[in-house]
């Protein structure tokens, strides 16, 4: 009996150390926290779920709205994570707390998963997710939108974080999503768009390391696509960057990609109305050891990419096997712009650099503007093997950047690296180890599958030693000095651009969308084309409007006008997972009689906020006001100090001056305030088309002598912007219009003007 008693005590002590049996717990808006937490008797509040969830539990949120805060208090384990899941997906909406708090707070936790939650706060200051001091957190298939509180999503001091297949969008503020002091973080298959300044910001400077951004669609629409401030060890691959806009709260349309040891590959950067990316070092941030290869930069309003530095902070940058095409078509046909620092630190090798017409001047290189041929003759040590030819896209009008069978870009690329010396084994020295990825130690990640010597000898990269320029592989191989070391290829040489063709090619997926631009309700055919040795087992789509689908081909109709990010995940027969991206624009046919822009600043004018820029150049201030007498809304721009800039700028997409030659402005100006209206072209001169009497405008800057009345009363003016052709005859599209101080040093603190209504539209009928 005594032995049995001792055994019972031991078993009891052991059970005390174990968590309660993992179970499914349920939550419903009409539940009861005193209930059992079963499907039949669910709990009600996020507070109850946060407190009660234990390792291994799956907390299922049934459809409905959930106020309060999801803030788990216990971590899961690797074998028994805690899961919070919406059933069905996106049917559970977290609406927040009624104040500026985040709807989800993850602090000092590990092994927690969020799946399928819709985080859309109701309160005026609602935020989405705050994560601090966490590890092994997964956020899958969640939708964060329509926040108003500052910085609605922030990941801080965390590691091994994975965010997949999520939508982050629509924040009418400055920076939407910040990642700070994080390491070994994966962002895969997400859609990120629509905020005033930076949709996704890796900041402070140099605080993040080992980051993978794969298969995402950055379609910012209201501002720049993203910002990397000195991130170390970054893989940015298979993403789309499109619709970057020089908007009302963004300093410019350019994404910042200031990184050290970065790889930017297999991305498509296209259809941005302005310049999309600038490798821009500043403060103590460097662009260093960066490899930009096998990308497409096509049909962007400005240059495809720029490396512009006012300080000597660019070191060892290589552009290899990229396509630059049709960029800056309404400007100077510049495909690539380089400047600042040491020119010898940037090499341009085996790229296609071409405008609409081959043979044009397409490069601006440290003060020189030359053709590809002239640049290679002038700087052969930096410009090697580049071509100015038509890429031979399958469908350039539909942004299908696959190469036709007769494209000159097939079998035309340079290898990424070459073996150094003869040898055998699992450690190989190469000429450029920085081109390769080893997984960064991120959970579930694998290094690159590469081919050594020929496409038939393959191995997986386990570790990259950048100092020794060696690759440690998962198997023994043999090589001779000068053997190519590359991602698997087919044919004599790899292909230039995003895709590789042929049976031995690296596995990859292309998303094909037909038509690229559709009407609401029109059927769109979406296909996944698997290339190389990829044999697809499962194919799962996120179609951009909340719909998911399966199979290599789907047909789908989009109900609403929007630009939809398409993401696909393909799992091969070998278990490897591949991501790809697509994009479809759904729009009504444009009525030529309707204006391109009609701004009133009334409550229903949703576009004014992201179209008009009045916060910079500094110093500047503006307010939204309502006229006491008329009840009309207007924008009030004023100088916070002497030398205020008084800006109101607009850069609308597709401002065709023959289709939209008329500008109408209803305004009033403080007495004696110097204000001018200036037109800007993508290239070449612009000029002033209206000015107040005190504005100081040189005669050669005036296009017409329209006068802005400065008597503090409301006035109206009409301007024909085709006047710009007097100084710039070839202009078809305008880059923008700027209203502001002329000059700034003539402005006194408190000077002001107001804008009540602005129309950019077709000519008025006689």
């Amino acid at each position: 009996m005594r032995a049995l008693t001792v055994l019972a005590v031991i078993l009891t002590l052991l059970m005390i150390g174990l968590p309660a049996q993992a179970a499914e717990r349920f939550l419903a808006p009409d539940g009861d926290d005193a209930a059992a937490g079963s499907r039949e008797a669910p709990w009600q509040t996020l507070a109850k779920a946060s407190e009660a969830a234990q390792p291994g539990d799956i907390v299922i949120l049934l459809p409905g709205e959930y106020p309060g805060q999801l803030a788990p208090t216990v971590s899961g384990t690797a074998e028994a994570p805690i899961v919070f899941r919406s059933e069905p997906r996106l049917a559970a909406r977290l609406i927040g707390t009624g104040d500026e708090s985040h709807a989800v707070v993850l602090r000092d936790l590990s092994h927690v998963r969020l799946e399928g939650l819709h985080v859309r706060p109701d309160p005026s200051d609602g935020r989405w997710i705050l994560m601090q001091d966490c590890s092994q957190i997964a956020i899958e298939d969640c939708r964060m939108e329509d926040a108003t509180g500052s910085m609605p999503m922030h990941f801080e001091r965390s590691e091994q974080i994975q965010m997949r297949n999520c939508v982050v969008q629509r924040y009418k503020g400055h920076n939407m999503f910040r990642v700070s002091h994080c390491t070994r973080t994966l962002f895969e298959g997400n859609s990120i768009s629509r905020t005033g300044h930076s949709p996704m910001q890796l900041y402070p400077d140099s605080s993040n390391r080992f980051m993978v951004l794969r298969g995402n669609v950055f379609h910012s629409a209201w501002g720049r696509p993203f910002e990397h401030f000195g991130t170390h060890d970054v893989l940015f691959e298979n993403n789309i960057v499109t619709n970057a806009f020089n908007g009302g709260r963004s300093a410019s349309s350019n994404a910042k990609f200031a990184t050290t040891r970065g790889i930017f590959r297999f991305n498509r950067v296209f259809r941005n109305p302005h310049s999309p990316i600038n490798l821009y070092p500043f403060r103590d941030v460097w662009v260093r050891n960066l490899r930009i290869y096998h990308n497409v930069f096509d049909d962007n309003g400005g240059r495809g990419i720029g490396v512009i530095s006012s300080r000597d902070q660019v070191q060892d940058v290589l552009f290899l096997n990229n396509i630059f095409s049709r960029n800056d078509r309404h400007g100077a046909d510049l495909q690539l712009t380089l400047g600042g620092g040491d020119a010898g630190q940037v090499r341009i090798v085996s790229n296609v650099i071409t405008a609409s017409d081959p043979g044009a001047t397409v490069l601006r290189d440290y003060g020189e503007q030359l053709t590809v041929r002239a640049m290679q003759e002038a700087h052969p040590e930096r410009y090697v093997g580049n071509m100015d030819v038509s890429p031979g896209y399958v469908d350039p009008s539909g942004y299908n950047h696959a190469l036709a069978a007769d494209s000159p870009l097939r079998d035309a690329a340079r290898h990424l690296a070459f073996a150094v010396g003869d040898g055998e084994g699992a450690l190989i020295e190469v000429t450029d180890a920085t081109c390769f990825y080893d997984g960064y130690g991120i959970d579930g990640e694998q290094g690159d599958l590469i081919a050594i010597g020929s496409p038939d000898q393959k191995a997986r990269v386990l570790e990259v030693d950048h100092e020794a320029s060696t690759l440690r592989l998962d198997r023994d191989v043999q090589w001779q000095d000068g053997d190519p070391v590359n991602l698997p290829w087919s044919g004599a040489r790899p292909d230039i651009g995003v895709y590789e063709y042929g049976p031995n090619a690296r596995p990859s997926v292309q998303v094909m969308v037909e038509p690229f631009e559709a009407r609401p309700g029109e059927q769109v055919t979406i296909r996944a084309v698997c290339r190389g040795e990829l044999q697809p087992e499962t194919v799962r789509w996120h179609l951009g409007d909340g719909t998911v689908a399966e199979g290599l081909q789907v047909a789908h109709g989009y109900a609403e006008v929007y630009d939809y990010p398409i993401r696909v995940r393909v799992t091969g027969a070998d278990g490897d997972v591949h991501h790809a991206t697509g994009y479809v624009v759904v729009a009504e046919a444009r009525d030529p009689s309707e204006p391109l822009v009609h701004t009133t600043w009334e409550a229903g004018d949703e576009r004014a906020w992201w179209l008009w820029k009045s916060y910079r150049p500094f110093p500047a201030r503006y307010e939204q006001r309502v006229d006491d007498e008329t009840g009309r809304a207007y924008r009030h721009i004023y100088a916070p100090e002497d030398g205020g800039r008084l800006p109101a700028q607009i850069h609308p997409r597709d401002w065709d001056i023959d289709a939209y030659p008329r500008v109408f402005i209803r305004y009033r100006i403080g007495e004696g305030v110097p204000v001018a209206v200036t037109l800007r072209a993508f290239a070449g001169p612009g000029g002033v088309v209206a000015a107040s009497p005190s504005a100081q405008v040189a005669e050669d800057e005036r296009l017409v002598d329209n006068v802005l009345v400065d008597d503090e009363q409301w006035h109206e003016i009409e301007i024909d912007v085709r006047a710009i052709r007097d100084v710039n005859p070839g202009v078809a599209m305008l880059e923008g219009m700027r209203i502001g101080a002329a000059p700034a040093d003539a402005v006194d603190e408190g000077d002001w003007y107001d804008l009540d209504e602005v129309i950019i539209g077709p000519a008025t009928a006689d």
Side-chain angles (χ1 to χ4, degrees):
M1 175 69 81
R2 182 178 179 184
L4 290 174
T5 302
V6 172
L7 179 61
V9 170
I10 292 172
L11 290 173
T12 300
L13 291 173
L14 288 172
M15 292 178 67
I16 291 173
L18 294 174
Q21 184 177 3
E24 285 189 337
R25 314 292 185 182
F26 290 85
L27 213 63
D30 59 354
D32 185 344
D33 285 352
S38 64
R39 185 181 291 273
E40 296 76 19
W43 297 327
Q44 182 184 38
T45 68
L46 297 175
K48 174 66 176 181
S50 300
E51 179 184 358
Q54 297 297 310
D57 282 356
I58 300 175
V59 180
I60 296 175
L61 284 69
L62 297 173
E65 294 185 348
Y66 292 87
Q69 192 172 76
L70 180 64
T73 57
V74 176
S75 293
T77 68
E79 298 76 20
I82 299 175
V83 180
F84 296 90
R85 177 184 298 157
S86 173
E87 184 184 295
R89 55 179 292 273
L90 306 181
R93 178 184 165 202
L94 278 58
I95 64 173
T97 63
D99 57 27
E100 201 177 349
S101 299
H102 295 83
V104 179
V105 174
L106 306 174
R107 187 177 283 122
D108 297 306
L109 296 171
S110 63
H111 300 291
V112 173
R113 295 182 59 87
L114 308 179
E115 298 179 358
L117 301 177
H118 186 187
V119 187
R120 187 181 182 188
D122 263 354
S124 59
D125 290 320
R127 301 179 185 180
W128 298 320
I129 299 176
L130 175 64
M131 182 192 304
Q132 293 176 323
D133 304 300
C134 290
S135 65
Q136 282 82 30
I137 305 295
I139 303 174
E140 173 78 32
D141 193 18
C142 293
R143 191 177 187 94
M144 282 70 71
E145 60 186 351
D146 296 327
T148 51
S150 63
M151 192 70 70
M153 192 151 74
H154 193 182
F155 297 173
E156 192 173 15
R157 299 185 305 275
S158 296
E159 64 177 351
Q160 295 291 2
I161 308 304
Q162 301 193 2
M163 189 172 98
R164 289 190 171 97
N165 304 316
C166 294
V167 173
V168 185
Q169 65 181 8
R170 293 202 302 265
Y171 165 55
K172 285 190 175 181
H174 200 61
N175 298 316
M176 182 165 69
F177 176 21
R178 178 174 289 174
V179 182
S180 307
H181 302 282
C182 290
T183 186
R184 294 187 169 87
T185 305
L186 172 69
F187 299 98
E188 192 172 66
N190 304 291
S191 162
I192 300 176
S193 71
R194 288 170 171 74
T195 192
H197 185 256
S198 182
M200 184 180 189
Q201 186 180 73
L202 277 62
Y203 179 85
D205 297 352
S206 305
S207 69
N208 297 286
R209 190 171 187 188
F210 299 128
M211 316 288 288
V212 174
L213 299 99
R214 175 188 297 126
N216 305 287
V217 180
F218 297 92
H219 56 127
S220 51
W222 296 350
R224 66 181 70 213
F226 52 79
E227 291 182 301
H228 289 227
F229 291 92
T231 312
H232 284 241
D233 300 281
V234 179
L235 175 66
F236 190 95
E237 68 174 359
N238 295 329
N239 302 289
I240 281 177
V241 179
T242 190
N243 207 17
F245 189 75
N246 189 1
R249 292 295 302 173
S250 184
S252 75
S253 60
N254 284 303
K256 290 186 178 73
F257 195 72
T259 66
T260 291
R261 280 209 301 259
I263 299 175
F264 188 99
R265 67 185 184 186
F266 313 133
N267 304 291
R268 294 193 300 137
V269 182
F270 68 96
R271 199 179 176 272
N272 295 282
H274 307 99
S275 297
I277 297 179
N278 191 2
L279 309 181
Y280 176 56
F282 61 105
R283 295 194 294 258
D284 293 324
V285 171
W286 283 68
V287 173
R288 178 186 288 149
N289 310 126
L290 177 60
R291 300 295 178 264
I292 302 170
Y293 62 82
H294 287 288
N295 304 282
V296 167
F297 301 86
D298 177 54
D299 194 25
N300 298 293
R303 63 186 177 233
I305 194 169
V307 184
I308 309 297
S309 173
S310 58
R311 298 162 63 184
D312 192 5
Q313 292 173 223
V314 174
Q315 185 178 83
D316 185 23
V317 175
L318 172 64
F319 290 89
L320 179 68
N321 301 330
N322 303 288
I323 306 174
F324 298 89
S325 57
R326 304 188 298 175
N327 299 298
D328 195 25
R329 287 198 286 176
H330 304 297
D333 281 332
L334 292 178
Q335 308 300 304
L336 182 64
T337 303
L338 309 176
D342 180 0
Q345 294 295 327
V346 183
R347 292 174 293 145
I348 316 295
V349 179
S350 186
N351 301 277
V352 171
I353 310 173
T354 185
S356 301
D357 299 314
T361 298
V362 291
L363 294 160
R364 181 178 292 149
D365 182 283
Y366 295 86
E368 296 180 282
Q369 193 159 312
L370 299 170
T371 66
V372 171
R373 179 177 178 179
M375 196 66 74
Q376 293 189 151
E377 291 174 350
H379 304 287
E381 74 286 358
R382 297 177 48 235
Y383 284 84
V384 180
N386 301 287
M387 298 183 289
D388 182 359
V389 296
S390 174
Y393 297 133
V394 168
D395 179 15
S397 63
Y399 300 101
N400 181 344
H401 295 117
L403 302 179
D406 60 351
S407 168
L409 279 57
R410 293 207 181 196
D411 288 353
R414 298 290 181 99
H415 291 288
L416 300 180
F418 299 89
V420 176
D422 299 346
E424 61 179 307
L427 185 69
I428 179 173
E429 183 180 354
V430 298
T431 55
D432 192 353
T434 305
C435 287
F436 301 99
Y437 169 65
D438 62 8
Y440 291 162
I442 296 173
D443 291 345
E445 281 289 289
Q446 297 185 98
D448 285 337
L449 181 67
I450 64 172
I452 303 97
S454 76
D456 297 323
Q457 183 175 225
K458 296 183 177 67
R460 181 77 63 180
V461 175
L462 298 180
E463 182 182 2
V464 177
D465 186 329
H466 294 274
E467 303 305 320
S469 197
T470 59
L471 307 176
R472 186 165 63 86
L473 309 177
D474 68 343
R475 69 200 76 171
D476 290 342
V477 295
Q478 295 180 330
W479 64 89
Q480 294 182 330
D481 185 52
D483 275 352
V485 180
N486 206 82
L487 304 176
W489 75 94
S490 186
R493 292 162 62 184
D495 303 317
I496 293 177
V498 174
Y499 309 112
E500 180 70 21
Y501 304 86
N504 292 320
R506 62 178 173 84
S508 66
V509 181
Q510 178 191 359
V511 174
M512 296 181 63
V513 180
E514 297 177 343
F516 174 80
E517 183 170 319
R519 303 287 175 250
E522 180 181 357
Q523 187 176 87
V524 177
T525 300
I526 304 167
R527 290 191 292 139
V529 178
C530 299
R531 304 193 187 280
E533 297 182 329
L534 175 56
Q535 300 297 319
E537 287 261 320
T538 62
V539 181
R540 182 171 176 84
W541 297 90
H542 286 261
L543 299 180
D545 61 352
T547 303
V548 295
E550 308 283 342
L552 285 170
Q553 180 170 313
V554 297
H556 187 62
Y558 293 89
E560 298 181 3
V561 168
Y562 203 68
D563 56 309
Y564 291 96
I566 298 169
R567 296 97 69 205
V568 66
R569 174 187 172 101
V570 178
T571 304
D574 57 3
D576 287 351
V577 175
H578 305 270
H579 289 81
T581 50
Y583 185 71
V584 60
V585 175
V586 178
E588 299 284 3
R590 182 175 286 178
D591 183 345
S593 68
E594 292 295 318
L596 180 67
V597 172
H598 185 186
T599 301
T600 64
W601 287 282
E602 299 290 347
D605 185 358
E606 294 292 330
R607 289 162 50 88
W609 181 84
W610 56 265
L611 274 176
W612 286 91
K613 187 181 317 205
S614 294
Y615 84 107
R616 63 184 304 155
F618 307 124
R621 291 287 189 278
Y622 73 98
E623 297 173 358
Q624 301 306 118
R625 294 184 175 181
V626 176
D627 189 283
D628 291 336
E629 295 182 4
T630 65
R632 292 167 65 112
Y634 63 94
R635 173 163 289 190
H636 177 69
I637 299 104
Y638 63 98
E641 59 190 71
D642 291 351
R645 305 302 293 273
L646 301 176
Q649 305 177 27
I650 188 169
H651 308 271
R653 178 195 287 270
D654 299 330
W655 189 354
D656 182 328
I657 64 174
D658 290 311
Y660 304 105
R662 172 180 173 259
V663 171
F664 167 86
I665 304 173
R666 187 171 188 268
Y667 69 94
R668 65 181 172 188
I669 301 175
E671 185 176 352
V673 177
V675 178
V677 180
T678 305
L679 303 180
R680 292 178 60 91
F682 281 95
V688 173
V689 289
S692 63
S694 59
Q696 299 174 31
V697 179
E699 279 304 313
D700 60 355
E701 294 178 355
R702 290 181 183 266
L703 301 179
V704 288
D705 292 326
N706 292 316
V707 176
L708 299 173
V709 183
D710 59 351
D711 62 358
E712 303 189 5
Q713 303 299 313
W714 288 110
H715 297 275
E716 297 176 355
I717 189 172
E718 289 198 11
I719 300 164
D720 190 328
V721 299
R722 289 171 294 193
I724 195 173
R725 286 183 173 145
D726 291 341
V727 295
N728 198 338
V731 170
M733 296 278 184
L734 283 183
E735 189 272 340
M737 178 176 71
R738 299 189 177 185
I739 308 173
D745 59 12
V747 171
D748 297 326
E749 180 180 352
D751 280 356
W752 62 272
Y753 69 90
D754 297 331
L755 297 176
D756 172 82
E757 184 176 19
V758 179
I759 299 172
I760 300 174
T764 304
D766 293 335

